Amino acid sequence: MAEDGYTRIDNPMEIETLLETLSEPGGASLQFGEQGEPMPVLLAGLEAGEALELDISAVSEIAGELRGGKAFRLLGQAHGKLVRTPEMTMEHCRQDDGRLLCRCAYPHRLEVLQRRDTFRARLRLGMEVSAVLRDAEGNRAQGDLKDLSLEGCRLELPLSATNLLAEAPLPLDIALCFPDGTHFQARGRARHRRADTERQTLTAGFQFEGHGPEQERRLWYFVREIEQEAARHIEGGEATRPPSPLFQGPAGAEPKVGRRGAQGYATPMTRRLAHVAGYLDTQLLELREGGEIDGVQLSRHADRLLRLHEEDREGLLFACDALYGESWLVGHGLGVAVRLLDLVGRDSVPQELRKALVASAMVHDLGKALLPDDVWRSAMPDDGGSPELHEHVALLEARMGGCQWLSTAVFTSVVRRISERLDGSGYPAGVTGEVLGELERAAAVVDAVDTLRRPLGERPAWRVGAIYRYLLGREQAFDSRWVKRYIRRFGLYPIGTLVRFDGGQLAWVQGLDDDGRPSRVQLAGGVESSGEGLHTVLGDKALEGEVLKGEVTRRLGEPREEVRVAKVATEAADIPN
């Protein structure tokens, strides 16, 4: 048996029977190399034991490569099996009555693989394929491909796609776009769907309709490439296995479509941060399905976050608050990572330790995804939580086997001890201040502030001033030196907050002066009052007002109060075709 699961066939009669099946219209494809996409050809002539004649008129542009001796295989399906020849070369090509015919030697063996119609190739962490769903009236939704088979696919869509699936005449048009630019279109009927209100997603399974030989050939190619690319990630064999060309997009390119690519974001930096959020969201789902933290992907996205901070720290701090539509654990992981880096990860800290700090903070709470929601959604930062809550630290650590590059000291401070308290009331070990170093003391403050700034369960988000008073009043648990350092660093009105000034104007804080006072703000647009002190922010419409620099108090007066907000996602206006 070959390495990729094919079985060798040497029997001459069986070979001839299989080749005759491939000679039917639409039965054969030609492929260059292991990674090439199959191209339609016609097996026009068969001389048993002597030669094959191929009609390549449909792909005449490859004649030059064939004449030059480039090796190829023939592929096809016969009797429920996938069939391929060994690599061959053309002997000569000729024109005949408008057709381009090429002759090659007869294969004296074939390789077959039992076709698995129902096998679903699942995309793994780091593999992104965008999907666009359209109905007959032009309504559409953009999402991400999660798995693919010869019979159908599973897509993850924004929750707003519920209306499209409920109201559109079925079947729907499905377009898949791979990172290298390859497109595939089919029609499919939704068979099942499941909503996740926390993540604001809808997962839907589709069954393809209108199968033809060409569609099946392309689908099998995609299924095989997804499966092989996934094997690289599962086995950690990225350095040894050749990558699939389907997943080789432009270096450093951000996704243009997909669930996040279709959303409108307040700033370009927020859109870039959403790509890191997408990684964390997928990693969270991998954990729930029994997987581990992917050390390679964690490393890549920690580097990405460091670069964003180096490019524009204020823009990144604002993006942490402007990001919406993500689950609580994803937003919290990013918020802690960025602010802890900004608080303690200064230029004097070596790059490898800054990277370990960011990586550890990004994933520090993902173990909670393995617990029942009611266990962790009601916990306050200083109540110690239940014994069941404490388990999330060990649950995460057991899934970190592929992250040996992480500094053990940093991981201990940011993951194992971020919930420890000076008086021993924290968890999981209940250690006291004599044991806790500076990094874990700082991390505990950053974690507590970010936790309280985000609504969780039935608890609404707290205003920053109330959080500061809360922590300063609990110096037995939180190091007051680090609480005060946090306040000095991020101010009473941190970057990203919505503030009402003396003149009554609402504005977003985008920059602070050396005294922690707003020095750059943008007048608020896309904000609606609920009449109960809570304002709704409409996604990318939030930043439509004038930007004021250095003249904030002269124009607007002194800042009066922070305004509580709820964020609502909007769809981008420039959804690509």
Side-chain angles (χ1 to χ4, degrees), residues 261-537:
Q263 285 186 180
Y265 290 99
T267 64
M269 179 64 80
T270 310
R271 179 175 291 279
R272 297 171 70 186
L273 183 62
H275 185 65
V276 185
Y279 149 70
L280 273 183
D281 186 45
T282 306
Q283 180 66 84
L284 184 151
L285 295 179
E286 287 281 323
L287 291 177
R288 286 176 174 167
E289 294 177 1
E292 295 192 343
I293 297 292
D294 186 315
V296 173
Q297 294 297 323
L298 179 60
S299 173
R300 290 175 178 170
H301 287 83
D303 284 334
R304 183 186 294 267
L305 207 56
L306 286 174
R307 288 195 301 270
L308 295 180
H309 187 265
E310 291 167 1
E311 290 177 19
D312 183 1
R313 70 166 285 271
E314 289 184 337
L316 183 59
L317 287 168
F318 186 88
C320 286
D321 278 356
L323 190 65
Y324 50 82
E326 302 295 344
S327 69
W328 193 93
L329 291 173
V330 169
H332 177 61
L334 291 176
V336 172
V338 171
R339 292 188 177 90
L340 186 59
L341 170 66
D342 199 72
L343 182 63
V344 305
R346 308 297 178 81
D347 294 337
S348 59
V349 177
Q351 175 76 5
E352 64 271 17
L353 294 184
R354 297 171 73 232
K355 178 176 177 177
L357 182 152
V358 166
S360 297
M362 286 167 65
V363 303
H364 79 279
D365 254 359
L366 293 191
K368 290 179 178 177
L370 306 176
L371 300 175
D373 285 350
D374 58 356
V375 170
W376 61 274
R377 285 183 170 275
S378 59
M380 286 289 285
D382 69 338
D383 66 5
S386 66
E388 191 175 2
L389 172 65
H390 303 174
E391 295 176 6
H392 80 82
V393 181
L395 289 172
L396 176 68
E397 190 166 359
R399 308 288 186 93
M400 298 289 295
C403 302
Q404 290 85 356
W405 59 270
L406 270 177
S407 160
T408 301
V410 172
F411 181 84
T412 295
S413 296
V414 179
V415 177
R416 293 188 184 125
R417 292 182 174 176
I418 198 169
S419 296
E420 299 288 1
R421 300 293 178 253
L422 300 179
D423 58 2
S425 62
Y427 69 87
V431 299
T432 59
E434 291 78 13
V435 177
L436 298 176
E438 293 298 317
L439 181 54
E440 39 257 55
R441 291 167 183 245
V445 171
V446 176
D447 181 59
V449 174
D450 193 90
T451 295
L452 293 173
R453 285 191 70 186
R454 300 177 186 277
L456 180 62
E458 297 182 356
R459 172 183 62 76
W462 287 25
R463 291 183 173 90
V464 174
I467 297 173
Y468 290 164
R469 291 191 293 272
Y470 175 83
L471 296 181
L472 288 171
R474 286 162 175 75
E475 58 183 353
Q476 77 281 0
F478 297 96
D479 190 325
S480 59
R481 295 177 303 117
W482 279 107
V483 176
K484 294 173 182 177
R485 290 177 187 176
Y486 187 101
I487 295 172
R488 287 196 298 271
R489 181 64 173 169
F490 300 110
L492 295 175
Y493 300 102
I495 292 172
T497 55
L498 181 64
V499 175
R500 189 190 312 279
F501 288 81
D502 276 341
Q505 178 68 61
L506 296 177
W508 298 100
V509 179
Q510 295 186 336
L512 301 174
D513 61 20
D514 293 339
D515 296 322
R517 294 166 56 83
S519 62
R520 186 175 73 254
V521 301
Q522 186 162 18
L523 302 184
V527 178
E528 299 176 354
S529 174
S530 67
E532 301 176 354
L534 181 67
H535 288 65
T536 298
V537 178

Side-chain angles (χ1 to χ4, degrees), residues 226-277:
I226 291 171
E227 189 175 9
Q228 292 183 357
E229 183 70 11
R232 296 175 65 236
H233 292 261
I234 296 171
E235 300 168 6
E238 290 185 299
T240 57
R241 283 178 175 264
S244 165
L246 286 176
F247 292 91
Q248 302 306 298
E254 303 286 353
K256 301 300 182 185
V257 294
R259 181 165 65 89
R260 289 174 178 81
Q263 285 186 180
Y265 290 99
T267 64
M269 179 64 80
T270 310
R271 179 175 291 279
R272 297 171 70 186
L273 183 62
H275 185 65
V276 185

